[in-house]
């Protein structure tokens, strides 16, 4: 969940502004240009305000003093692609597929707020980037997957909401974590809409003036306050309304091979900055359920893209296979059995074991960051 993650990071770093400077050059796929993004503390500039539609690569360097993130946004704030957790003095590359049209590049200081924005344009005839037909099949399969996850989430969420409305504390606690699995598997797609995630999955310290609603408000009531109020019962109804909105809209999401690959990396970032730290489920300590769901969602995207990525970069897919297997094996240590979604309460996981989990996530995240470029390589 983005807002909770941002607030957790903001608590450890001072708020920063970013700037973007640089030049364009030939992309790593041998075709489209690179837009250089260089963060400082008081500007946000791009190397070019126009670039060819198709596969665009952002070369990001953070020369500011704070962690930042960079987005390509549609004019209505829907997300084309993003890269988060870009530390001071570090560089990142992200490949995106864009059609001809108007966009914004947003640099978000401290990974919070609307950020500093630049209007940019992708030029061309409005056609999508040329794709290997296997990638069209991957997109279609992934679109079916995210719809399935949304459809399967609703009855689980309705079970959770009913328990809250019945005032049944223990039943609500039991239903809480299962109701979140489908969301966690596909969260980057939900986040791409911009408005749904803050309604259903925001943490209290991620609020920016809005009313606190969603799963985590109810989580606090169940585990911290140990009571269900009349207001909570209303929030349970609101959660179902918002999740139905997600269910109805997810099939219309903009999905490309690069957004699938970048979304897989975002899911690993979710794990690294929220689940491993124990900040996401700070009251229920069901972090390992979310952790597993995030990894499953990332692995689904990877498996669908793997045939093309393997052809273009076999050493990368060999490494990804190895690191996904290692992380899955490590997570299995904490589940009741291999088919169960019952995991050890995260407050029972010691610092050394948390470090092992963190190391495994980082070992996977680094090669996963290269998947989008491998998918579009020519």
């Amino acid at each position: 969940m983005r807002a909770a993650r941002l607030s957790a990071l903001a608590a450890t770093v001072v708020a920063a502004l970013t700037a973007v400077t640089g030049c364009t050059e030939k992309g790593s796929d041998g075709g489209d240009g690179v837009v250089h993004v260089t963060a400082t503390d008081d500007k946000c500039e791009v190397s070019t305000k126009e670039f060819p539609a198709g596969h665009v690569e952002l070369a990001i360097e953070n020369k500011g003093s704070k962690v930042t993130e960079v987005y390509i946004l549609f004019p209505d704030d829907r997300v084309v692609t993003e890269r988060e957790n870009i530390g001071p003095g570090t560089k990142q590359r992200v490949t995106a597929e864009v059609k001809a049209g108007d966009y914004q590049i947003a640099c978000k200081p401290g990974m919070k707020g609307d950020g500093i924005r630049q209007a940019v344009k992708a030029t061309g005839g409005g056609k999508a980037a040329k794709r290997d037909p296997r990638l069209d099949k991957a997109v279609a399969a992934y679109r079916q997957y995210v719809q399935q996850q949304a459809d399967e989430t609703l009855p689980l969420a309705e079970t959770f909401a009913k328990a809250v409305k019945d005032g049944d504390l223990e039943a609500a606690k039991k239903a809480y974590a299962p109701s979140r699995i489908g969301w966690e598997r596909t969260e980057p797609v939900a986040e791409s809409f911009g408005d749904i995630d803050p309604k259903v999955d925001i943490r209290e310290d991620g609020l920016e003036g809005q009313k606190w609603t969603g799963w985590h408000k109810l989580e606090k009531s169940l585990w911290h306050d140990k009571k269900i109020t009349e207001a909570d019962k209303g929030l349970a109804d609101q959660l179902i309304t918002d999740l139905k909105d997600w269910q109805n809209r997810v099939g219309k999401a903009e999905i490309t091979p690069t957004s699938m690959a970048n979304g897989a990396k975002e899911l690993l970032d979710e794990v690294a900055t929220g689940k491993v730290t124990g900040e996401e489920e700070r009251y229920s300590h069901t972090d390992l359920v979310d952790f597993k769901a995030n990894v499953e969602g990332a692995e689904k995207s990877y498996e669908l893209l793997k045939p093309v990525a393997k052809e273009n970069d076999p050493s990368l897919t060999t490494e990804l296979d190895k690191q996904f297997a290692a992380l899955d094996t490590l997570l299995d240590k904490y589940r009741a059995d291999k088919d169960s979604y019952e995991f050890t309460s995260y407050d029972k996981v010691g610092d050394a074991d948390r470090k092992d989990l963190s190391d495994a996530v980082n070992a996977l995240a680094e090669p996963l960051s290269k998947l989008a470029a491998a998918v579009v390589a020519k």
Side-chain angles (χ1 to χ4, degrees):
M1 191 288 304
R2 179 180 292 125
R5 181 171 69 250
L6 303 191
S7 63
L9 287 170
T12 62
V13 297
V14 181
L17 299 179
T18 57
V20 189
T21 59
C23 59
T24 58
E25 63 185 34
K26 196 173 184 181
S28 63
D29 65 357
D32 301 325
V34 173
V35 179
H36 284 255
V37 179
T38 306
T40 69
D41 284 349
D42 57 1
K43 293 181 181 178
C44 186
E45 298 171 351
V46 293
S47 58
T48 180
K49 298 296 180 69
E50 293 189 1
F51 44 81
H55 295 131
V56 176
E57 187 171 10
L58 299 185
I60 306 164
E61 182 175 7
N62 184 2
K63 291 186 176 179
S65 60
K66 307 300 174 185
V67 176
T68 192
E69 60 189 8
V70 174
Y71 290 73
I72 299 178
L73 300 169
F74 290 102
D76 62 1
D77 272 8
R78 286 178 298 125
V79 177
V80 179
T81 196
E82 64 181 289
R83 183 53 52 88
E84 302 177 350
N85 304 311
I86 306 168
T90 65
K91 298 179 181 181
Q92 295 271 345
R93 281 187 176 252
V94 57
T95 301
E97 182 177 322
V98 295
K99 298 176 183 178
D102 295 325
Y103 298 89
Q104 291 183 324
I105 290 179
C107 311
K108 295 195 176 184
M111 304 209 310
K112 196 171 185 178
D114 292 333
I116 305 170
R117 300 188 177 201
Q118 294 281 2
V120 296
K121 180 185 290 290
T123 60
K127 296 181 180 179
K130 292 182 180 180
R131 289 183 192 162
D132 185 313
R134 292 173 295 176
L135 294 178
D136 289 326
K137 289 182 64 176
V139 169
Y142 187 68
R143 189 178 296 279
Q144 184 178 26
Y145 173 73
V146 296
Q147 186 67 64
Q148 178 187 21
Q149 294 305 306
D151 293 344
E152 291 178 356
T153 293
L154 258 294
L156 295 171
E158 287 169 344
T159 297
F160 170 63
K162 182 179 185 301
V164 172
K165 292 166 65 178
D166 288 346
D168 190 333
L169 193 71
E170 293 307 313
K173 285 182 176 182
K174 183 176 180 180
Y176 171 77
S179 76
R180 293 176 46 74
I181 292 170
W183 172 272
E184 291 291 336
R185 285 173 176 157
T186 60
E187 190 167 1
V189 178
E191 287 183 342
S192 72
F193 296 113
D195 61 334
I196 297 177
D197 182 80
K199 294 178 181 178
V200 305
D201 201 28
I202 198 166
R203 302 283 339 176
E204 186 173 18
D205 49 9
L207 296 172
E208 296 182 1
Q210 76 269 39
K211 180 183 177 183
W212 191 15
T213 60
W215 271 301
H216 293 302
K217 173 63 176 74
L218 294 169
E219 178 204 4
K220 183 178 181 181
S221 294
L222 296 175
W223 276 273
H224 181 270
D225 300 337
K226 297 181 174 59
K227 62 181 180 180
I228 296 171
T229 67
E230 288 303 312
D232 290 331
K233 295 177 183 180
L235 289 177
D237 281 332
Q238 184 62 48
L239 175 65
I240 299 305
T241 297
D242 293 333
L243 289 175
K244 286 180 177 178
D245 183 27
W246 165 54
Q247 180 189 33
N248 290 334
R249 292 164 66 184
V250 73
K252 305 176 184 69
E254 292 279 346
I255 298 175
T256 66
T258 55
S259 74
M260 290 169 59
N262 291 327
K265 174 61 165 60
E266 290 165 32
L267 285 169
L268 265 290
D269 289 343
E270 289 272 349
V271 173
T273 59
K275 281 68 174 185
V276 168
T277 62
E279 295 176 61
E280 178 79 356
E281 305 290 357
R282 63 190 66 173
Y283 305 113
S284 65
H285 305 300
T286 56
D287 303 88
L288 287 174
V289 177
D290 293 359
F291 191 140
K292 180 62 175 177
N294 285 159
V295 173
E296 286 177 337
E299 196 162 9
K300 180 66 174 182
S301 291
Y302 167 59
E303 290 296 337
L304 290 172
L305 297 171
K306 181 179 174 180
V308 174
K310 184 176 182 178
E311 190 172 289
N312 292 336
D313 192 343
S315 63
L316 177 65
T317 55
T318 296
E319 182 66 13
L320 285 170
D321 288 342
K322 173 185 173 182
Q323 297 304 338
F324 267 118
L327 184 53
D328 286 335
T329 297
L330 188 57
L331 279 170
D332 284 345
K333 291 173 50 180
Y334 301 98
R335 64 196 306 181
D337 60 67
K338 66 181 182 64
D339 297 317
S340 171
Y341 244 92
E342 293 183 22
F343 283 84
T344 301
S345 181
Y346 202 57
D347 58 335
K348 307 299 183 185
V349 178
D351 290 344
D353 289 332
R354 292 190 184 199
K355 184 179 185 304
D356 288 343
L357 288 165
S358 178
D359 289 346
V361 169
N362 292 335
L364 172 58
E366 193 279 328
L368 197 57
S369 69
K370 301 174 183 177
L371 180 59
V375 164
V376 302
K378 296 176 182 177

